[in-house]
Amino acid sequence: MPSTAAKPARMTKKEMEKYRRLLEEKKASLSAEIAKTRSAEVETTEEATQDIADKAVSSYTREFLYSLTDGERGTLLRIDEALGRIDLGTYGSCLNCHTAMTEKRLNAVPWAPYCLDCQELSEKGILPN
Ligand SMILES: [Zn+2]
């Protein structure tokens, strides 16, 4: 991240530690979810080989499970990135416009890389990342 463009985050160390705990809790529960989903994937594969009539349904279920874990993996990645920003002391600032994010936003999505405005741009594919 370009340090020349970044403004210092307005967040105190104490606040950052609060979000670090939130992020680590979420990371632990997501990791447990992913482990559960993986064992469900294995069961679904076994069912599919046992009963060919249900194969279509099972592959649909498998696709659903894969898409679910992709989303969870994405969130895990963002959590790791957010934890990295806490280490750097830049946590709480939007990665695009560098304004400090609101407490409300961070409490709702502690791993959010962007403020709401930039998030919208990112979802439209206007932001480079
Ligand atoms: Zn922004």
Side-chain angles (χ1 to χ4, degrees):
M1 129 172 232
S3 56
T4 47
K7 287 174 195 162
R10 278 176 235 162
M11 194 177 283
T12 64
K13 273 221 157 95
K14 202 181 159 192
E15 280 174 304
M16 282 201 197
E17 290 310 313
K18 183 188 96 177
Y19 288 109
R20 188 200 290 278
R21 273 198 302 278
L22 275 179
L23 287 161
E24 279 172 352
E25 275 168 25
K26 181 71 185 172
K27 190 178 167 178
S29 71
L30 256 186
S31 301
E33 277 301 309
I34 287 176
K36 251 196 282 172
T37 312
R38 280 212 188 111
S39 52
E41 275 172 21
V42 172
E43 277 168 32
T44 311
T45 309
E46 281 167 6
E47 277 165 28
T49 52
Q50 278 162 14
D51 192 348
I52 292 169
D54 286 337
K55 208 178 169 185
V57 175
S58 293
S59 51
Y60 174 80
T61 310
R62 277 206 308 279
E63 269 171 41
F64 171 73
L65 288 172
Y66 281 130
S67 71
L68 188 75
T69 51
D70 276 353
E72 284 170 341
R73 283 189 197 111
T75 304
L76 267 184
L77 195 74
R78 296 207 150 186
I79 289 175
D80 275 335
E81 286 169 356
L83 287 168
R85 291 197 297 279
I86 289 177
D87 290 336
L88 288 171
T90 59
Y91 179 78
S93 298
C94 172
L95 283 186
N96 184 57
C97 68
H98 308 294
T99 53
M101 283 192 262
T102 61
E103 215 185 309
K104 196 180 159 196
R105 167 125 180 94
L106 289 172
N107 282 333
V109 191
W111 55 90
Y114 302 119
C115 69
L116 274 180
D117 288 346
C118 294
Q119 180 66 43
E120 223 173 278
L121 296 177
S122 168
E123 276 161 15
K124 285 177 189 160
I126 297 169
L127 287 187
N129 48 6

